[in-house]
Amino acid sequence: MIIEGRNMDEMDITPVVLTIAGSDSGGGAGIEADIKTFGSLYVHGTCAITSVTSQNTTGVKSAYDLPPSVVSDQIEAVCADMDIRWAKSGMLSSADIVRAVAKSVKEYDLHIIVDPVMAAEAGGDLLKEDAVSVLKEELLPLSYATTPNISEAQVLSGITINSREDAKEAAKAIAALGVKNVVITGGHSDAVDLVYESESDLFAEVPGRFIEGGTHGSGCTYSSALTAYLARGYSIVDAAIAAKEFVEYGILLSRNIGKGVSPVNQMGYLQMMATKDEVLANTEKAVQMLEDSPNFAKLVAEVGCNIAMALPHARKVSDVAAVNGRIVRLQGRPKVVGCVSFGASSHVARIVLAAMEFDQEIRASVNISYSRNVLAICEDMGLTMSSFSRAEEPEHTHTMDWGVTYAIDSYGRVPAIISDAGGVGKEPMVRVLGRDAIEVASIALEIADRLAVLEA
């Protein structure tokens, strides 16, 4: 099928990207990390190997640089056959290899992202001193973006970075070499990445927080993720935000596979995407269970109810699925207003996130109306219970963060039920907590059925 001179099949072409970097025999960084990242982000990865390293999680044992002509031949082979517009560079260990890559970038008009790799995360130098000046003089002026960490940015700019303002000055100094965009990654400082767009003279900050897990290959993974997102049409800032999230999932879901620094899990992003589908399906099923039960209407609070379920390792509201609206009472029956989506409910999401600080297995909650009968039924069901008083809430705190934490601390672990008797302008409420949305919905429905019998 042809549309405006284009074949329909061509409208959904997978972007082809190129990584020019060293090979890591341990599979954690370099070419290996890049190719896994590309595959996880739905772009086709090609490669030009610059150096073969004998490397594992404890460090680089040795490295053999390929002749510059062989590096050039690899780039020519893929660029002559495929439509490659975006590329990234990693380990370019010698001045001659840097020159060869710069020549190929010009010849094939590549939009290249330069990751100025100078040392391995696990230990070992990867860039010879004389290659740094050639990198600054011949390759960076051709680059679309560069992604140095703090120490690399100091080398490239000649500026010592001790503050955010120092980082901005360093970014401008690096951009003055001819780089369009500079992304200084914050993994070695405060976890905030700084994006500088030289053409508009604008800065953007990409916030983050330190995550426990393997970081070997994190720089390679970040730059390759950034390249993949750019190849898919993202702006530099949006690509930087998405690439950071990709790396965070990779660190979070890393596995110990050796005796040293564990590698980033580039499949972590795909695993989390699959888990998102499972969480959505579980929550949607739970919502349907509540809506199908006429007895649940008795538990719908005046302000409405919501049910939420979090991803494993959830850290923020956007990691929690809930009804994008509320569950209300309509003509004596529960009625769901809205659909299930991530980040839909700050209120119930905060309950879940606070509980997960104590027990990562408790990932779901539903809030229901408060009454003495409801509390008596919960006790009769053998549910563990705790409570808090809004009158004791300190100033400048969020009720759910403080209240749930207080109730859990008081009980010694996460109970199945957390209640409060309300306050001025605040409706009393009961929260059911459990491992998933279907579990808490089932508990709520049993409470509702028992309440219907009690009040019949």
Side-chain angles (χ1 to χ4, degrees):
M1 179 179 179
I2 304 295
I3 297 180
E4 295 183 356
R6 294 181 63 192
N7 189 294
M8 188 66 175
D9 293 338
E10 294 176 350
M11 298 181 70
D12 190 31
I13 293 176
T14 299
V16 181
V17 292
L18 168 65
T19 171
I20 308 167
S23 172
D24 174 2
S25 55
I31 290 288
E32 289 75 12
D34 295 339
I35 294 295
K36 286 185 281 188
T37 299
F38 292 154
S40 295
L41 292 175
Y42 314 110
V43 301
H44 178 76
T46 63
C47 66
I49 299 175
T50 59
S51 183
V52 177
T53 69
S54 302
Q55 185 177 172
N56 56 28
T57 62
T58 65
V60 179
K61 309 307 177 184
S62 65
Y64 174 77
D65 295 342
L66 272 66
S69 61
V70 174
V71 176
S72 299
D73 286 348
Q74 292 175 83
I75 299 173
E76 179 185 7
V78 293
C79 288
D81 179 49
M82 307 171 199
D83 182 18
I84 298 179
R85 302 175 187 178
W86 291 91
K88 66 145 290 189
S89 67
M91 177 185 177
L92 307 176
S93 54
S94 72
D96 287 341
I97 289 177
V98 175
R99 291 191 183 95
V101 170
K103 181 179 178 181
S104 294
V105 168
K106 286 191 287 187
E107 182 176 355
Y108 296 103
D109 192 25
L110 298 174
H111 291 75
I112 190 165
I113 307 329
V114 176
D115 179 12
V117 178
M118 297 180 185
E121 186 75 27
D125 294 332
L126 298 176
L127 183 66
K128 296 182 177 67
E129 192 172 334
D130 64 335
V132 175
S133 60
V134 180
L135 184 79
K136 293 169 63 175
E137 295 167 7
E138 299 193 27
L139 185 58
L140 285 177
L142 304 174
S143 68
Y144 180 84
T146 185
T147 60
N149 59 33
I150 295 296
S151 59
E152 292 163 347
Q154 290 182 145
V155 172
L156 295 178
S157 67
I159 296 173
T160 300
I161 301 175
N162 293 315
S163 67
R164 191 65 46 79
E165 289 305 313
D166 291 340
K168 288 183 177 181
E169 289 303 312
K172 285 192 172 186
I174 295 169
L177 298 172
V179 186
K180 290 184 179 179
N181 302 285
V182 179
V183 183
I184 299 180
T185 58
H188 293 74
S189 59
D190 60 359
V192 176
D193 297 341
L194 182 69
V195 182
Y196 177 59
E197 300 176 79
S198 64
E199 292 181 346
S200 59
D201 193 32
L202 293 176
F203 285 98
E205 293 183 0
V206 182
R209 72 175 187 177
F210 292 112
I211 302 169
E212 291 186 7
T215 57
H216 178 48
S218 57
C220 303
T221 301
Y222 177 84
S223 59
S224 53
L226 185 76
T227 305
Y229 282 118
L230 289 169
R232 288 169 49 183
Y234 285 50
S235 69
I236 184 65
V237 173
D238 287 344
I241 294 170
K244 188 177 188 69
E245 182 181 47
F246 182 91
V247 174
E248 287 179 344
Y249 281 141
I251 295 173
L252 192 64
L253 299 176
S254 62
R255 297 290 182 268
N256 294 323
I257 61 167
K259 300 175 182 178
V261 181
S262 298
V264 172
N265 176 13
Q266 288 83 18
M267 300 297 107
Y269 178 80
L270 288 180
Q271 294 170 19
M272 194 59 73
M273 292 304 102
T275 302
K276 278 191 172 184
D277 289 339
E278 294 172 3
V279 168
L280 286 173
N282 189 291
T283 309
E284 288 167 351
K285 173 63 175 176
V287 167
Q288 192 63 55
M289 290 166 59
L290 298 178
E291 189 172 41
D292 288 345
S293 169
N295 288 339
F296 184 70
K298 294 179 176 293
L299 295 182
V300 175
E302 291 299 320
V303 295
C305 299
N306 211 328
I307 186 168
M309 181 177 175
L311 293 167
H313 312 291
R315 297 176 293 117
K316 51 189 182 295
V317 170
S318 59
D319 293 332
V320 185
V323 177
N324 187 11
R326 296 188 183 187
I327 303 172
V328 300
R329 189 187 303 115
L330 180 64
Q331 297 179 344
R333 292 188 63 91
K335 176 66 177 177
V336 178
V337 181
C339 58
V340 175
S341 60
F342 282 94
S345 170
S346 173
H347 181 82
V348 185
R350 286 180 178 275
I351 296 171
V352 176
L353 292 171
M356 290 181 70
E357 290 290 331
F358 293 84
D359 187 344
Q360 285 285 308
E361 296 299 313
I362 304 301
R363 293 165 44 205
S365 180
V366 60
N367 63 315
I368 58 178
S369 63
Y370 175 104
S371 72
R372 292 182 181 276
N373 283 342
V374 167
L375 294 181
I377 289 169
C378 291
E379 187 174 2
D380 188 58
M381 289 172 61
L383 298 172
T384 53
M385 302 169 63
S386 188
S387 64
F388 64 90
S389 171
R390 289 178 182 267
E392 299 178 11
E393 181 182 345
E395 293 184 3
H396 310 300
T397 60
H398 192 285
T399 300
M400 288 306 99
D401 295 340
W402 170 81
V404 172
T405 300
Y406 178 91
I408 295 171
D409 277 337
S410 299
Y411 189 73
R413 59 188 174 94
V414 180
I417 302 293
I418 294 178
S419 64
D420 79 276
V424 178
K426 299 292 185 180
E427 183 178 3
M429 199 72 65
V430 172
R431 296 115 189 137
V432 182
L433 294 100
R435 291 168 296 181
D436 60 43
I438 291 176
E439 179 182 79
V440 297
S442 299
I443 294 171
L445 289 177
E446 183 174 349
I447 295 171
D449 291 343
R450 291 190 182 208
L451 184 64
V453 172
L454 183 65
E455 296 181 349

